[in-house]
mmCIF file of all heavy atoms in Angstrom:
data_model
loop_
_atom_site.group_PDB
_atom_site.id
_atom_site.type_symbol
_atom_site.label_atom_id
_atom_site.label_comp_id
_atom_site.label_asym_id
_atom_site.label_seq_id
_atom_site.Cartn_x
_atom_site.Cartn_y
_atom_site.Cartn_z
ATOM 1 N N ALA A 95 -22.966 13.471 -4.911
ATOM 2 C CA ALA A 95 -21.670 13.932 -5.417
ATOM 3 C C ALA A 95 -20.616 13.875 -4.311
ATOM 4 O O ALA A 95 -19.476 13.472 -4.548
ATOM 5 C CB ALA A 95 -21.794 15.347 -5.958
ATOM 6 N N GLU A 96 -20.978 14.251 -3.108
ATOM 7 C CA GLU A 96 -20.042 14.192 -1.991
ATOM 8 C C GLU A 96 -19.694 12.743 -1.656
ATOM 9 O O GLU A 96 -18.559 12.441 -1.283
ATOM 10 C CB GLU A 96 -20.641 14.886 -0.773
ATOM 11 C CG GLU A 96 -20.731 16.394 -0.939
ATOM 12 C CD GLU A 96 -21.386 17.070 0.250
ATOM 13 O OE1 GLU A 96 -21.778 16.346 1.187
ATOM 14 O OE2 GLU A 96 -21.511 18.295 0.248
ATOM 15 N N SER A 97 -20.672 11.859 -1.793
ATOM 16 C CA SER A 97 -20.435 10.444 -1.524
ATOM 17 C C SER A 97 -19.452 9.863 -2.531
ATOM 18 O O SER A 97 -18.544 9.103 -2.158
ATOM 19 C CB SER A 97 -21.759 9.680 -1.579
ATOM 20 O OG SER A 97 -21.531 8.315 -1.355
ATOM 21 N N VAL A 98 -19.606 10.216 -3.788
ATOM 22 C CA VAL A 98 -18.693 9.736 -4.825
ATOM 23 C C VAL A 98 -17.299 10.292 -4.603
ATOM 24 O O VAL A 98 -16.305 9.570 -4.702
ATOM 25 C CB VAL A 98 -19.223 10.116 -6.233
ATOM 26 C CG1 VAL A 98 -18.177 9.832 -7.295
ATOM 27 C CG2 VAL A 98 -20.507 9.363 -6.530
ATOM 28 N N LEU A 99 -17.203 11.562 -4.276
ATOM 29 C CA LEU A 99 -15.907 12.178 -4.019
ATOM 30 C C LEU A 99 -15.235 11.531 -2.809
ATOM 31 O O LEU A 99 -14.020 11.272 -2.829
ATOM 32 C CB LEU A 99 -16.097 13.683 -3.784
ATOM 33 C CG LEU A 99 -14.811 14.486 -3.538
ATOM 34 C CD1 LEU A 99 -13.897 14.394 -4.760
ATOM 35 C CD2 LEU A 99 -15.137 15.926 -3.226
ATOM 36 N N ASN A 100 -16.002 11.249 -1.771
ATOM 37 C CA ASN A 100 -15.469 10.591 -0.589
ATOM 38 C C ASN A 100 -14.962 9.193 -0.935
ATOM 39 O O ASN A 100 -13.892 8.777 -0.477
ATOM 40 C CB ASN A 100 -16.542 10.522 0.501
ATOM 41 C CG ASN A 100 -15.986 10.021 1.814
ATOM 42 O OD1 ASN A 100 -14.791 10.116 2.062
ATOM 43 N ND2 ASN A 100 -16.849 9.500 2.658
ATOM 44 N N MET A 101 -15.707 8.454 -1.751
ATOM 45 C CA MET A 101 -15.293 7.113 -2.141
ATOM 46 C C MET A 101 -14.002 7.153 -2.960
ATOM 47 O O MET A 101 -13.088 6.335 -2.753
ATOM 48 C CB MET A 101 -16.400 6.428 -2.948
ATOM 49 C CG MET A 101 -16.094 4.987 -3.293
ATOM 50 S SD MET A 101 -17.345 4.202 -4.317
ATOM 51 C CE MET A 101 -18.772 4.358 -3.268
ATOM 52 N N ILE A 102 -13.902 8.097 -3.877
ATOM 53 C CA ILE A 102 -12.692 8.232 -4.697
ATOM 54 C C ILE A 102 -11.498 8.581 -3.815
ATOM 55 O O ILE A 102 -10.405 8.023 -3.974
ATOM 56 C CB ILE A 102 -12.900 9.297 -5.791
ATOM 57 C CG1 ILE A 102 -13.908 8.794 -6.821
ATOM 58 C CG2 ILE A 102 -11.584 9.658 -6.457
ATOM 59 C CD1 ILE A 102 -14.352 9.838 -7.822
ATOM 60 N N THR A 103 -11.699 9.483 -2.859
ATOM 61 C CA THR A 103 -10.614 9.882 -1.961
ATOM 62 C C THR A 103 -10.161 8.711 -1.102
ATOM 63 O O THR A 103 -8.955 8.478 -0.936
ATOM 64 C CB THR A 103 -11.075 11.046 -1.067
ATOM 65 O OG1 THR A 103 -11.523 12.110 -1.900
ATOM 66 C CG2 THR A 103 -9.949 11.533 -0.190
ATOM 67 N N MET A 104 -11.107 7.962 -0.542
ATOM 68 C CA MET A 104 -10.765 6.816 0.301
ATOM 69 C C MET A 104 -10.062 5.734 -0.518
ATOM 70 O O MET A 104 -9.105 5.118 -0.051
ATOM 71 C CB MET A 104 -12.035 6.239 0.936
ATOM 72 C CG MET A 104 -12.694 7.192 1.892
ATOM 73 S SD MET A 104 -11.926 7.188 3.507
ATOM 74 C CE MET A 104 -12.717 5.762 4.210
ATOM 75 N N THR A 105 -10.505 5.508 -1.747
ATOM 76 C CA THR A 105 -9.873 4.504 -2.600
ATOM 77 C C THR A 105 -8.439 4.913 -2.937
ATOM 78 O O THR A 105 -7.522 4.095 -2.861
ATOM 79 C CB THR A 105 -10.686 4.326 -3.897
ATOM 80 O OG1 THR A 105 -12.021 3.965 -3.552
ATOM 81 C CG2 THR A 105 -10.071 3.265 -4.780
ATOM 82 N N PHE A 106 -8.240 6.165 -3.288
ATOM 83 C CA PHE A 106 -6.899 6.657 -3.594
ATOM 84 C C PHE A 106 -5.987 6.549 -2.376
ATOM 85 O O PHE A 106 -4.834 6.147 -2.477
ATOM 86 C CB PHE A 106 -6.964 8.103 -4.075
ATOM 87 C CG PHE A 106 -5.623 8.658 -4.464
ATOM 88 C CD1 PHE A 106 -5.023 8.275 -5.652
ATOM 89 C CD2 PHE A 106 -4.963 9.541 -3.631
ATOM 90 C CE1 PHE A 106 -3.777 8.787 -6.009
ATOM 91 C CE2 PHE A 106 -3.723 10.055 -3.975
ATOM 92 C CZ PHE A 106 -3.126 9.675 -5.167
ATOM 93 N N GLY A 107 -6.511 6.892 -1.209
ATOM 94 C CA GLY A 107 -5.738 6.776 0.023
ATOM 95 C C GLY A 107 -5.359 5.343 0.331
ATOM 96 O O GLY A 107 -4.235 5.064 0.752
ATOM 97 N N ALA A 108 -6.289 4.412 0.127
ATOM 98 C CA ALA A 108 -6.003 3.009 0.380
ATOM 99 C C ALA A 108 -4.949 2.483 -0.590
ATOM 100 O O ALA A 108 -4.036 1.747 -0.196
ATOM 101 C CB ALA A 108 -7.287 2.190 0.254
ATOM 102 N N VAL A 109 -5.040 2.869 -1.858
ATOM 103 C CA VAL A 109 -4.049 2.442 -2.850
ATOM 104 C C VAL A 109 -2.676 3.011 -2.517
ATOM 105 O O VAL A 109 -1.662 2.319 -2.623
ATOM 106 C CB VAL A 109 -4.499 2.865 -4.278
ATOM 107 C CG1 VAL A 109 -3.379 2.680 -5.279
ATOM 108 C CG2 VAL A 109 -5.723 2.064 -4.688
ATOM 109 N N ALA A 110 -2.632 4.261 -2.084
ATOM 110 C CA ALA A 110 -1.357 4.874 -1.711
ATOM 111 C C ALA A 110 -0.755 4.182 -0.495
ATOM 112 O O ALA A 110 0.452 3.919 -0.451
ATOM 113 C CB ALA A 110 -1.563 6.358 -1.427
ATOM 114 N N LEU A 111 -1.589 3.849 0.485
ATOM 115 C CA LEU A 111 -1.103 3.178 1.686
ATOM 116 C C LEU A 111 -0.567 1.784 1.362
ATOM 117 O O LEU A 111 0.522 1.412 1.792
ATOM 118 C CB LEU A 111 -2.233 3.077 2.713
ATOM 119 C CG LEU A 111 -1.891 2.386 4.028
ATOM 120 C CD1 LEU A 111 -0.825 3.183 4.777
ATOM 121 C CD2 LEU A 111 -3.133 2.238 4.880
ATOM 122 N N VAL A 112 -1.317 1.029 0.576
ATOM 123 C CA VAL A 112 -0.872 -0.302 0.181
ATOM 124 C C VAL A 112 0.395 -0.213 -0.657
ATOM 125 O O VAL A 112 1.301 -1.037 -0.510
ATOM 126 C CB VAL A 112 -1.996 -1.044 -0.587
ATOM 127 C CG1 VAL A 112 -1.485 -2.322 -1.215
ATOM 128 C CG2 VAL A 112 -3.147 -1.355 0.362
ATOM 129 N N GLY A 113 0.490 0.778 -1.519
ATOM 130 C CA GLY A 113 1.700 0.961 -2.319
ATOM 131 C C GLY A 113 2.920 1.229 -1.458
ATOM 132 O O GLY A 113 3.994 0.661 -1.698
ATOM 133 N N CYS A 114 2.763 2.078 -0.457
ATOM 134 C CA CYS A 114 3.891 2.366 0.442
ATOM 135 C C CYS A 114 4.292 1.126 1.223
ATOM 136 O O CYS A 114 5.485 0.836 1.373
ATOM 137 C CB CYS A 114 3.520 3.501 1.392
ATOM 138 S SG CYS A 114 3.364 5.094 0.577
ATOM 139 N N ILE A 115 3.317 0.387 1.732
ATOM 140 C CA ILE A 115 3.626 -0.851 2.465
ATOM 141 C C ILE A 115 4.308 -1.848 1.534
ATOM 142 O O ILE A 115 5.261 -2.531 1.925
ATOM 143 C CB ILE A 115 2.338 -1.438 3.073
ATOM 144 C CG1 ILE A 115 1.820 -0.522 4.172
ATOM 145 C CG2 ILE A 115 2.588 -2.842 3.620
ATOM 146 C CD1 ILE A 115 0.466 -0.910 4.716
ATOM 147 N N TRP A 116 3.840 -1.949 0.294
ATOM 148 C CA TRP A 116 4.428 -2.856 -0.683
ATOM 149 C C TRP A 116 5.894 -2.492 -0.945
ATOM 150 O O TRP A 116 6.766 -3.359 -1.014
ATOM 151 C CB TRP A 116 3.628 -2.774 -1.974
ATOM 152 C CG TRP A 116 4.032 -3.796 -2.999
ATOM 153 C CD1 TRP A 116 5.127 -3.761 -3.804
ATOM 154 C CD2 TRP A 116 3.347 -4.999 -3.316
ATOM 155 N NE1 TRP A 116 5.159 -4.858 -4.610
ATOM 156 C CE2 TRP A 116 4.081 -5.645 -4.335
ATOM 157 C CE3 TRP A 116 2.174 -5.596 -2.855
ATOM 158 C CZ2 TRP A 116 3.672 -6.849 -4.887
ATOM 159 C CZ3 TRP A 116 1.784 -6.792 -3.411
ATOM 160 C CH2 TRP A 116 2.527 -7.405 -4.405
ATOM 161 N N ILE A 117 6.169 -1.207 -1.085
ATOM 162 C CA ILE A 117 7.541 -0.752 -1.341
ATOM 163 C C ILE A 117 8.441 -1.084 -0.151
ATOM 164 O O ILE A 117 9.542 -1.610 -0.322
ATOM 165 C CB ILE A 117 7.560 0.760 -1.641
ATOM 166 C CG1 ILE A 117 6.934 1.021 -3.018
ATOM 167 C CG2 ILE A 117 8.977 1.306 -1.593
ATOM 168 C CD1 ILE A 117 6.678 2.491 -3.306
ATOM 169 N N VAL A 118 7.979 -0.804 1.062
ATOM 170 C CA VAL A 118 8.789 -1.074 2.258
ATOM 171 C C VAL A 118 9.006 -2.577 2.421
ATOM 172 O O VAL A 118 10.121 -3.028 2.677
ATOM 173 C CB VAL A 118 8.110 -0.479 3.510
ATOM 174 C CG1 VAL A 118 8.805 -0.957 4.776
ATOM 175 C CG2 VAL A 118 8.123 1.035 3.435
ATOM 176 N N TYR A 119 7.953 -3.365 2.249
ATOM 177 C CA TYR A 119 8.069 -4.813 2.411
ATOM 178 C C TYR A 119 8.945 -5.408 1.311
ATOM 179 O O TYR A 119 9.785 -6.260 1.568
ATOM 180 C CB TYR A 119 6.682 -5.457 2.386
ATOM 181 C CG TYR A 119 6.721 -6.954 2.581
ATOM 182 C CD1 TYR A 119 6.962 -7.497 3.836
ATOM 183 C CD2 TYR A 119 6.519 -7.815 1.507
ATOM 184 C CE1 TYR A 119 7.004 -8.868 4.018
ATOM 185 C CE2 TYR A 119 6.560 -9.180 1.686
ATOM 186 C CZ TYR A 119 6.798 -9.701 2.934
ATOM 187 O OH TYR A 119 6.839 -11.052 3.106
ATOM 188 N N GLY A 120 8.779 -4.945 0.095
ATOM 189 C CA GLY A 120 9.596 -5.442 -1.009
ATOM 190 C C GLY A 120 11.054 -5.069 -0.850
ATOM 191 O O GLY A 120 11.944 -5.875 -1.132
ATOM 192 N N TYR A 121 11.306 -3.858 -0.366
ATOM 193 C CA TYR A 121 12.687 -3.437 -0.146
ATOM 194 C C TYR A 121 13.331 -4.281 0.953
ATOM 195 O O TYR A 121 14.477 -4.701 0.826
ATOM 196 C CB TYR A 121 12.721 -1.960 0.242
ATOM 197 C CG TYR A 121 14.120 -1.422 0.446
ATOM 198 C CD1 TYR A 121 14.895 -1.041 -0.633
ATOM 199 C CD2 TYR A 121 14.659 -1.304 1.727
ATOM 200 C CE1 TYR A 121 16.174 -0.544 -0.461
ATOM 201 C CE2 TYR A 121 15.934 -0.808 1.914
ATOM 202 C CZ TYR A 121 16.687 -0.434 0.820
ATOM 203 O OH TYR A 121 17.947 0.045 1.012
#
Side-chain angles (χ1 to χ4, degrees):
E96 290 177 359
S97 178
V98 171
L99 182 62
N100 188 23
M101 185 183 300
I102 291 171
T103 304
M104 295 279 278
T105 303
F106 182 75
V109 169
L111 179 64
V112 170
C114 291
I115 292 173
W116 187 283
I117 289 170
V118 170
Y119 181 75
Y121 182 81

